[in-house]
Amino acid sequence: MNEKERQLFQQLLNLKQHALAKYSHFHVASILVTADGSQYTGINIESSSYSLTICAERVALFKALSEGERDFKEIHILSDDERPVSPCGACRQVLFDYAPDLTVYMYGASGEVRVKNIQELLPDGFNDEFLK
Ligand code: THU
């Protein structure tokens, strides 16, 4: 881990304490970084009607989009698991829709980090070009 990753990892650890995961007990935190360096945070928010749960990644993205942000550089994600967390298919799609060049930093609870582009995580992804 480099110094930037160490700092974001520490922020994610603190943020993860806010996760609302009373059903799965799987806590996730994310930090989305815009092109100009602004940060938007997210946690997973679970519902008693389980399918209404929303992942940490989409919370961060939707917060940023609703504030008018459109240009995204990186997302940093941490869960409780020792292994670097792997974003779900739904989040990969929405991240690809709004941030097709996003760099995704996936952290494990003990500090391991994996870095991939969103297009590596969603090869041959569907997007709005198919809708024209
Ligand atoms: N979850 C996330 O927030 N992000 C991921 O990348 C994987 C899964 C959440 C959804 C649910 O609250 C819990 O983790 C278990 O699936």
Side-chain angles (χ1 to χ4, degrees), residues 19-30 42-47 50 53-59 77-79 85-89 91-92:
L20 294 167
K22 67 196 283 188
Y23 306 106
S24 73
H25 308 290
F26 188 77
H27 304 84
V28 187
S30 70
I43 49 148
N44 55 330
I45 303 173
E46 298 189 344
S47 169
Y50 301 157
T53 290
I54 183 165
C55 295
E57 294 89 326
R58 274 174 290 152
V59 170
I77 316 160
L78 171 69
S79 78
V85 62
S86 184
C88 81
C91 287
R92 291 177 196 212

